[in-house]
Each structure stands twice: as structure tokens, then as C-alpha cells.
Amino acid sequence: MQTHFSSEQFLLQGTPFYYYDIALLDATLAEIKRCIESDAHWHVHYAVKANANPTILSHIAHAELGADCVSGGEIEAAIAAGIPASRIVYAGVGKSDWEIEIGLKHNISCFNVESVEELQVINELATRRNIVARVAFRINPNVDAHTHEKITTGLSENKFGIDMCDMEEAIYLAQSLSHVEYIGLHFHIGSQILDNEPFRQLCLRINELQERLEKSNIYTPNINVGGGLGINYEDPDAESIPNFESYFRTFREALQLREGQQLHFELGRSIVAQCGSLISRVLYIKKGHTKQFLILDASMTELVRPAMYGAFHKVQRISIENETTVLEKKDSIYDVVGPVCESSDVFVKNYSLPSCERGDLIAIRSAGAYGESMASTYNLRPLPSSLLG
Ligand code: LLP
């Protein structure tokens, strides 16, 4: 499925803005549903941090996915979009008391607890409300996801989760507390993972852990394997819907679930990345001695991934003469940059594009995940608006 940019619509909208191809989002959600419909005990929770745009959230609610939240704000946004609290899980190494209160007030399905200190606070706050909070422990499985060091989380030297060797002790503590109920184990090994092997390794690790816990007579009703499935940034139209089939198959084949055990996924990027593009205008073409700079009106404040992680996003000049065609002619080499006063405000260097003029529309592709949600107002720039197609 190829994203078509409707230039007529775009001409009326002030740049920069995020464009979301909602038909592609819906097709992606339908594909997930198709892949897991035979598994009644499988549940996908959308990782709200990837994109909390209200329209996107409402499509996700409509597709009956749950939500994986990492703040009180995300819990409220998910609920406002129509995602029931019974499908909301809440993770994060530093949950503030007021955020835990939001989770308790809505009676969310599970707190993914990252330390015994946090467990004690949840128990205390739940006691005051005279309710029992369901908790799962985030365990650090020590699986190398072979991804960017800033987005890998499953190795033992990370700040996330509880060390495997402390697992039983944490569960026993939960079982001894009056206002929490131990309901599961939570894992997440990293993000933008393109090879299923790390997920298979995760499954094998979970199998071992389960056997170990069973020896101590601990039964775990829920297994949450987190998110992390990557997408094709180089060629978004070649793979606009990620290969969910083979991702889910990895778990079906390698994970040994017990009778009645529920399996949870927390996918973010793979659901929303390809449906979003950051649309910008060329402000200037600055000709240096050795290179040309294509200076856009979009910057790292709308899309920080290139500046922050050195991430690649495909850049396209969108034809404004023809409603849907993206010009293929490539005849100039540019450093594509934004206007912010930071030398890292660069989208891509030495990049070949059809020759551009001031005013041309540029699409920065695969920006639906961790784009709008990571936008800032640095340099007092306004937050980007969005257009849904
Ligand atoms: N579950 C947990 C516990 C997580 O920490 C994350 C992402 C997810 C699920 C969703 O992962 P996904 O399916 O989207 O890979 N800002 C970075 C990505 C940070 C990911 C943080 N955790 C980026 O722009 O690449």
C-alpha cells in the first residue's frame, strides 16, 4: 500500500505539519487483527508513547487494541480515546504518586512494576483506597536486541526492570502484601528490531524463567513480551505494513505458554510509523562552496530522531503539479537541514533529490512513530499541527 500525498489539501495547510494516512493505519490494524484472531488469549496493547494524536488513538480504540502507557497523561489520553481501563497496562521506572493514583482510580488492568520500592508505594496507595492493584514485574531478560544503544533496554546494565536473580524475592514480597496481586511478568528488549532472532531468544529465556518459578510453586497468569518490532525506514512504500505474520509466528513457535496463560504485546512503532509523514516547505537553497543546503521550515523540534539517534528517514520532494505523483527524477545532492540553531538540526546529508525550488513541498517519511510525540518547543517554535488523510 503506497501513501499518496494530496497536494491540493496540503496547499491549504501551513507547514510544517504531520500528515497521517489513516487508510494505511486502518489496514495495519486489520493485519494485526488477522494475524492474532485465532489466539483468543493474545492481546496487543498499543504503546501510546509512539504517537498520542487523539485521532490515531481513537482508531486504535476502534480496532479494540489495549494501551501500554508510561505516564498518568497517557493513561488519561487512552481513556479519553475510548480504550477501556481493563485493557491498559502502565510501565515506567519512575511513576509519581499522582500518576499511580490515576491508574488506581481507573482500575487499570496492570501496573508493570520496575522495582520493589515502587511495589511498596503502590501497595500503600492502594491500601488507602482499599483496593487491590494488579501488578506484573518487569524482568530484565539480558537479551541483546542488536539495536541502537539509546533504544536497547533488555540488557542487565540498563536502568529498566528487575534483575532476574531478584525475581522470586520480588514475587514473594508482592504475595505477602495486602493490596497488590501478582499477575504477571513483563519484558521488553528494545526497539526497531528487524530480525526475529532476539525475540526468539526472549521466548527461550521466558521458558527457562517459567520453569524456574514453577519449581518455587509460583504460577504466572500473564506474560507480557513488550514491543520492539522494527520498520523499513529506507523504503517505506516497499513495506508499508511490517511483517507481523513472521513476528507473531516467532512467539507461537518458541514460547511455551501454560494452560490459560494470557500473552500480551506492546507494539508502538510498527503500528504507526509508516502512516505518518512530516510535511515541510523548502525555505532556501543555500549554495556553499562544496555543498548545497536544502533549508526546510521543519526542524528537529518537529522530528528529533535524526538529531538524537542519527536515525535515517527517507526524504521526498512532493510534486505540486500532479496530485499524487512523487517525482522520480534525481538530479541534485543536498544536505537537508532545519532552521534551528543547532548543528545537529540535520535530517540527512549528501542526499539525492529532484532539483528543488523555494516553496516546494518535502515529505519526511516514516515519521508516524516517535515524531509528533517527541516534538518540542525549543527556540519557541510552535508544536506541529496534523492533517489526517
Ligand atoms: N514497551 C515498553 C516497555 C517500551 O519501553 C517501549 C518503547 C515499547 C513497549 C514500544 O516499543 P516499539 O514497539 O515502539 O519499539 N524514541 C525512540 C524509541 C524509544 C522506545 C522506547 N520504548 C525512537 O524514536 O526510536
Side-chain angles (χ1 to χ4, degrees):
M1 212 171 149
Q2 188 156 351
T3 290
H4 291 293
F5 298 103
S6 159
S7 52
E8 225 166 74
Q9 222 183 348
F10 285 10
L11 289 173
L12 302 171
Q13 181 95 5
T15 48
F17 63 91
Y18 274 95
Y19 170 70
Y20 296 114
D21 180 343
I22 293 297
L24 176 56
L25 173 63
D26 287 341
T28 306
L29 292 166
E31 172 63 3
I32 292 176
K33 200 168 192 169
R34 187 190 70 76
C35 290
I36 66 166
E37 69 195 344
S38 57
D39 301 280
H41 56 300
W42 285 28
H43 313 273
V44 176
H45 305 261
Y46 166 65
V48 176
K49 66 172 87 64
N51 193 321
N53 182 291
T55 309
I56 291 201
L57 286 184
S58 73
H59 279 255
I60 281 161
H62 194 247
E64 297 181 341
L65 264 58
D68 156 39
C69 299
V70 288
S71 69
E74 286 190 359
I75 297 174
E76 304 229 294
I79 285 176
I83 298 176
S86 59
R87 291 201 194 124
I88 294 180
V89 295
Y90 175 25
V93 284
K95 302 179 181 77
S96 297
D97 292 17
W98 66 268
E99 294 180 300
I100 295 171
E101 293 284 7
I102 289 175
L104 292 173
K105 178 179 85 188
H106 291 290
N107 191 19
I108 59 168
S109 78
C110 188
F111 288 84
N112 290 331
V113 171
E114 309 225 9
S115 64
V116 289
E117 292 79 3
E118 178 196 330
L119 179 74
Q120 303 272 17
V121 172
I122 294 176
N123 183 58
E124 208 177 290
L125 298 176
T127 305
R128 268 190 238 155
R129 285 179 178 264
N130 199 21
I131 55 174
V132 174
R134 288 167 294 275
V135 299
F137 285 109
R138 176 159 178 186
I139 304 296
N140 226 316
N142 209 7
V143 170
D144 193 347
H146 303 293
T147 184
H148 193 286
E149 66 164 305
K150 289 196 175 139
I151 52 177
T152 186
T153 48
L155 285 170
S156 53
E157 63 265 28
N158 252 288
K159 72 173 173 180
F160 302 101
I162 290 173
D163 223 82
M164 270 182 302
C165 62
D166 301 324
M167 188 175 64
E168 283 92 345
E169 212 178 307
I171 297 172
Y172 289 142
L173 176 64
Q175 288 174 338
S176 74
L177 296 173
S178 56
H179 288 78
V180 291
E181 180 192 357
Y182 167 73
I183 65 155
L185 294 176
H186 175 223
F187 305 87
H188 175 75
I189 55 173
S191 200
Q192 183 53 14
I193 300 168
L194 289 167
D195 169 10
N196 284 323
E197 184 52 27
F199 295 120
R200 208 180 66 84
Q201 290 300 328
L202 171 63
C203 292
L204 301 182
R205 193 56 55 84
I206 296 173
N207 295 343
E208 279 168 35
L209 292 178
Q210 290 233 78
E211 277 177 29
R212 190 174 120 185
L213 290 179
E214 280 161 2
K215 285 196 185 117
S216 307
N217 290 322
I218 296 171
Y219 174 69
T220 303
N222 294 273
I223 299 289
N224 183 332
V225 292
L229 176 62
I231 61 131
N232 188 341
Y233 282 100
E234 304 287 329
D235 194 357
D237 292 320
E239 218 178 324
S240 56
I241 299 182
N243 194 341
F244 291 109
E245 180 91 53
S246 74
Y247 168 75
F248 286 122
R249 194 185 317 122
T250 305
F251 292 91
R252 202 168 280 128
E253 288 173 356
L255 188 63
Q256 290 161 3
L257 285 182
R258 307 302 193 248
E259 182 76 34
Q261 211 166 35
Q262 308 289 304
L263 178 61
H264 303 259
F265 298 86
E266 300 174 338
L267 295 172
R269 186 190 318 264
S270 52
I271 299 179
V272 290
Q274 298 293 32
C275 78
S277 297
L278 176 60
I279 310 295
S280 166
R281 269 202 175 77
V282 174
L283 289 177
Y284 304 105
I285 295 136
K286 179 174 162 179
K287 292 191 167 57
H289 294 290
T290 55
K291 44 170 74 192
Q292 299 190 85
F293 295 94
L294 195 68
I295 304 177
L296 306 183
D297 62 3
S299 75
M300 64 190 285
T301 68
E302 289 81 27
L303 179 65
V304 77
R305 302 192 71 256
M308 193 162 178
Y309 312 116
F312 174 79
H313 286 257
K314 182 171 177 173
V315 175
Q316 284 180 325
R317 174 180 180 269
I318 311 172
S319 162
I320 47 173
E321 301 84 24
N322 178 323
E323 243 232 319
T324 55
T325 321
V326 173
L327 288 184
E328 287 302 332
K329 199 177 81 174
K330 293 187 174 172
D331 52 14
S332 285
I333 305 286
Y334 299 104
D335 276 12
V336 182
V337 303
V340 162
C341 303
E342 292 278 345
S343 44
S344 59
D345 187 24
V346 175
F347 288 110
V348 60
K349 285 187 173 168
N350 297 319
Y351 196 72
S352 179
L353 281 174
S355 290
C356 293
E357 291 170 24
R358 173 175 162 83
D360 279 353
L361 284 171
I362 298 289
I364 303 174
R365 303 290 306 279
S366 315
Y370 307 108
E372 190 179 352
S373 62
M374 291 179 80
S376 77
T377 57
Y378 183 43
N379 285 194
L380 285 189
R381 290 171 59 83
L383 288 173
S385 58
S386 60
L387 179 73
L388 300 128

